[in-house]
């Protein structure tokens, strides 16, 4: 607009656009180049003053006024509009693009007559043609941008949906595995429990019978101090004194062993919580202890385990309303990862530092229970920590980890319990998992 005004040496040049609203179409001056001493015309033109201009735009008629005073046939609304802004002559060239946009370039003068010659009109017409092409290109660009944005939005939605589907699928798979494991554990515990209880119950009677037989033997030795040669030879052969002492110890060991098996079976049944799919109030410490019992073979020094020191710093907690089976699954995943991290640190770094897992529990603000499980392993870098709860992300070797454990744990704590699961770790400073759930 500035270039046209400067080239033609006129007072004002502006772009007029037509907005074909179904209920109320309007004319708007959207761009303007003018003499600084003149008032601005930017904005909407009142309806009562735009009938003539609208008709010219829709019919694509060129309007050329050399002097408004010499055009006695001018519509009143046009003359009123031009007079309002001190316009004495005006040239309007309509523009219609292939995309349907309707507008016009309007040149006006405010200081007497202005004769619009053919060369100026031809030049402006060429400008209008180029402007129509530019409008078409801009419209196409806008449409392509909108289409690109819609496609990008749709792609993001599809990616999000796929991510949710993957999470749901992984959760279903893991839940099915845990359900099957729970059924298996509950079944095995039940099958072991019956014969163990039978053995444990009969050990009491076996010990009583042994003591009675031993008493009877002593009575025979007291009243018949001179046994026959055959009895004397057999007594020396079997070492009766040793058998008497050892059998008593053997029965005591068997009793301790059956007690241990019964504890393990109880731990298995409590851990699986197969018949407890709904929320209920449970002892958090019992769930942690049962999980440690299941993992006993990995952390205890029994020739196979790593001899990890388990430090329990339990606060006094109330019963917590939760899904006990799923919460035990979280404890299992986090403790297993801690044991794996300590195993890796023992392999990579030969150190005298004893591997250790510290389990702390506490009440926060009288509303939440916090369980903190920390190890003194190698820790992890920030990039790994950021992706820790992503589905299928794992730093373990192929075949050793699925990348689902912590992702499922996050869903259980955050989505199922409305809690918080966070990880604090630095390289060389170990790792701590923070579990917070409402009481």
């Amino acid at each position: 607009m500035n270039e046209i005004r400067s080239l033609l040496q006129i007072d004002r040049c502006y772009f007029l656009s037509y907005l074909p609203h179904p209920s109320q179409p309007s004319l708007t001056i959207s761009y303007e180049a003018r003499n600084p001493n003149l008032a601005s015309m930017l904005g909407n033109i009142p309806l009562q003053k735009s009938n003539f201009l609208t008709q010219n735009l829709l019919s694509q008629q060129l309007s050329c006024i050399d002097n408004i005073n010499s055009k006695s046939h001018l519509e009143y609304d046009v003359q009123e509009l031009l007079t309002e802004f001190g316009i004495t002559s005006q040239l309007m060239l309509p523009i219609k693009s292939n995309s349907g946009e309707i507008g016009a370039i309007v040149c006006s003068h405010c200081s007497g007559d202005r004769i619009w010659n053919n060369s100026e009109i031809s030049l402006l017409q060429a400008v209008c043609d180029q402007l129509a092409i530019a409008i078409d290109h801009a419209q196409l660009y806008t449409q392509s941008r909108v289409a690109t944005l819609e496609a990008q939005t749709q792609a993001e939605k599809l990616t999000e949906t796929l991510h949710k589907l993957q999470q749901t699928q992984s959760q279903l798979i893991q839940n099915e595995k845990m359900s099957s494991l729970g059924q298996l554990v509950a079944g095995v515990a039940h099958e072991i429990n019956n014969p163990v209880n039978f053995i444990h119950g009969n050990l009491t009677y076996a010990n009583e019978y042994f003591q009675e037989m031993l008493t009877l033997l002593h009575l025979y030795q007291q009243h018949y101090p001179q046994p026959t040669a055959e009895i004397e030879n057999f007594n020396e052969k079997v070492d009766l004194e040793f058998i008497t002492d050892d059998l008593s110890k053997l029965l005591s060991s068997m009793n301790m062993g059956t007690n241990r098996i019964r504890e393990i079976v109880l731990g298995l049944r409590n851990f699986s919580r197969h018949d407890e799919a709904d929320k209920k109030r449970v002892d958090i410490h019992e769930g942690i202890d049962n999980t440690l019992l299941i993992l006993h073979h990995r952390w205890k020094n029994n020739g196979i385990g790593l001899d990890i020191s388990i430090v329990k710093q339990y606060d006094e907690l109330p019963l917590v309303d939760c899904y006990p089976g799923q919460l035990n699954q979280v404890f299992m995943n986090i403790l297993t990862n801690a044991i794996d991290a300590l195993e890796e640190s023992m392999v990579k770094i030969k150190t005298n530092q004893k591997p250790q897992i510290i389990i702390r529990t506490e009440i926060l603000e009288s509303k939440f229970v916090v369980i903190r499980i920390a190890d003194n392993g190698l820790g992890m870098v920030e990039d790994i920590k950021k992706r820790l709860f992503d589905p299928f992300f794992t730093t373990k070797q192929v075949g050793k980890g699925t990348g689902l454990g912590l992702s499922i744990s996050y869903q259980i704590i955050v989505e199922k319990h409305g809690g918080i699961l966070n990880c604090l770790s630095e390289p060389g400073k170990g790792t701590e998992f923070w579990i917070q759930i409402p009481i």
Side-chain angles (χ1 to χ4, degrees), residues 279-282 284 316-322 362-370 417-419 436-439:
K279 265 191 171 184
K280 65 173 296 184
R281 299 175 71 83
V282 297
I284 293 294
E316 187 173 345
L317 302 181
L319 297 180
V320 178
D321 192 27
C322 65
E362 59 185 295
I363 298 177
L364 182 63
E365 300 176 354
S366 302
K367 296 180 181 179
F368 303 95
V369 164
V370 174
H417 290 85
Q436 178 179 317
I437 57 176
I439 294 176

Side-chain angles (χ1 to χ4, degrees), residues 424-439:
L424 308 173
S425 183
E426 292 182 31
K429 295 186 178 180
T431 300
E432 178 178 273
F433 282 90
W434 173 290
I435 303 169
Q436 178 179 317
I437 57 176
I439 294 176

Side-chain angles (χ1 to χ4, degrees), residues 171-357:
Q171 186 172 11
L172 288 173
I173 292 172
Q174 190 71 1
N175 287 344
E176 183 63 28
K177 286 181 178 179
M178 291 305 295
S179 176
S180 300
L181 178 61
Q183 293 177 16
L184 176 63
V185 168
V188 169
H190 177 73
E191 291 299 324
I192 293 175
N193 194 49
N194 288 337
V196 166
N197 281 339
F198 173 78
I199 295 170
H200 182 77
N202 284 324
L203 279 174
T204 303
Y205 300 111
N207 189 56
E208 289 179 1
Y209 297 159
F210 166 68
Q211 295 299 331
E212 290 174 355
M213 291 178 65
L214 192 60
T215 302
L216 179 61
L217 180 61
H218 288 159
L219 286 172
Y220 267 102
Q221 289 177 334
Q222 181 180 349
H223 292 286
Y224 300 97
Q226 298 299 326
T228 63
E230 184 179 358
I231 293 174
E232 186 70 31
N233 292 335
F234 188 75
N235 183 28
E236 293 178 358
K237 181 179 179 181
V238 299
D239 194 353
L240 183 60
E241 185 177 351
F242 170 78
I243 290 177
T244 302
D245 182 60
D246 195 54
L247 184 56
S248 179
K249 294 178 180 178
L250 186 62
L251 288 171
S252 178
S253 297
M254 291 172 67
N255 188 64
M256 291 175 59
T258 54
N259 271 326
R260 176 62 180 157
I261 294 173
R262 292 174 71 197
E263 289 175 3
I264 293 173
V265 168
L266 181 61
L268 287 171
R269 293 172 65 182
N270 290 336
F271 174 80
S272 66
R273 302 278 186 177
H274 178 55
D275 55 345
E276 299 176 9
D278 297 328
K279 265 191 171 184
K280 65 173 296 184
R281 299 175 71 83
V282 297
D283 182 358
I284 293 294
H285 294 153
E286 182 184 352
I288 297 173
D289 291 341
N290 288 331
T291 306
L292 289 171
L293 180 63
I294 301 299
L295 296 172
H296 186 272
H297 67 287
R298 291 207 57 196
W299 60 267
K300 193 68 174 176
N301 183 18
N302 56 0
I304 302 175
L306 303 174
D307 192 20
I308 297 173
S309 173
I310 304 293
V311 179
K312 300 177 186 177
Q313 298 177 358
Y314 289 170
D315 197 357
E316 187 173 345
L317 302 181
L319 297 180
V320 178
D321 192 27
C322 65
Y323 296 95
Q326 295 187 23
L327 200 57
N328 286 344
Q329 182 181 343
V330 174
F331 297 151
M332 172 69 80
N333 290 333
I334 292 177
L335 285 168
T336 300
N337 280 354
I339 294 171
D340 288 342
L342 291 172
E343 185 177 30
E344 182 183 4
S345 67
M346 292 174 69
V347 171
K348 288 186 176 181
I349 302 177
K350 303 297 182 181
T351 177
N352 294 326
Q353 179 178 323
K354 183 176 176 61
Q356 185 181 73
I357 295 176

Side-chain angles (χ1 to χ4, degrees), residues 5 20 34 53 64 67 90 115 139 163 180 223 249 251 274 295-296 302-303 306 317 333 351 382 395 413 420-421:
R5 176 176 170 270
R34 59 183 170 82
L53 296 176
C64 181
N67 190 319
Q90 179 172 279
I115 305 300
Q139 187 71 15
H163 181 68
S180 300
H223 292 286
K249 294 178 180 178
L251 288 171
H274 178 55
L295 296 172
H296 186 272
N302 56 0
L306 303 174
L317 302 181
N333 290 333
T351 177
E382 188 67 24
T395 59
I413 297 299
I420 297 172
L421 177 59

Side-chain angles (χ1 to χ4, degrees), residues 51-240:
N51 289 334
F52 177 78
L53 296 176
T54 301
Q55 291 173 6
N56 277 14
L57 285 175
L58 293 176
S59 60
Q60 294 290 290
Q61 291 182 4
L62 182 147
S63 172
C64 181
I65 304 171
D66 295 333
N67 190 319
I68 61 170
N69 296 320
S70 63
K71 295 283 186 178
S72 58
H73 63 280
L74 276 178
E75 296 285 343
Y76 175 77
D77 58 346
V78 178
Q79 193 162 15
E80 184 182 7
L81 177 65
L82 298 180
T83 303
E84 179 182 346
F85 288 97
I87 297 173
T88 56
S89 61
Q90 179 172 279
L91 174 64
M92 183 178 77
L93 292 92
I95 301 170
K96 185 176 182 180
S97 66
N98 292 330
S99 60
E101 298 289 330
I102 299 174
I105 290 179
V106 183
C107 300
S108 60
H109 209 57
C110 300
S111 51
D113 296 352
R114 175 67 164 84
I115 305 300
W116 306 100
N117 57 51
N118 291 334
S119 62
E120 292 174 335
I121 294 173
S122 298
L123 174 63
L124 290 175
Q125 189 62 58
V127 171
C128 289
D129 292 342
Q130 292 299 318
L131 188 56
I133 294 172
I135 291 173
D136 284 336
H137 287 170
Q139 187 71 15
L140 288 173
Y141 176 74
T142 302
Q143 291 175 354
S144 66
R145 288 279 297 174
V146 171
T148 301
L149 184 61
E150 288 177 352
Q152 185 177 357
T153 304
Q154 187 67 18
E156 289 175 356
K157 288 182 178 178
L158 288 173
T159 302
E160 183 180 355
T161 303
L162 177 61
H163 181 68
K164 288 182 178 178
L165 284 173
Q166 286 178 332
Q167 285 186 319
T168 303
Q169 182 185 30
S170 64
Q171 186 172 11
L172 288 173
I173 292 172
Q174 190 71 1
N175 287 344
E176 183 63 28
K177 286 181 178 179
M178 291 305 295
S179 176
S180 300
L181 178 61
Q183 293 177 16
L184 176 63
V185 168
V188 169
H190 177 73
E191 291 299 324
I192 293 175
N193 194 49
N194 288 337
V196 166
N197 281 339
F198 173 78
I199 295 170
H200 182 77
N202 284 324
L203 279 174
T204 303
Y205 300 111
N207 189 56
E208 289 179 1
Y209 297 159
F210 166 68
Q211 295 299 331
E212 290 174 355
M213 291 178 65
L214 192 60
T215 302
L216 179 61
L217 180 61
H218 288 159
L219 286 172
Y220 267 102
Q221 289 177 334
Q222 181 180 349
H223 292 286
Y224 300 97
Q226 298 299 326
T228 63
E230 184 179 358
I231 293 174
E232 186 70 31
N233 292 335
F234 188 75
N235 183 28
E236 293 178 358
K237 181 179 179 181
V238 299
D239 194 353
L240 183 60

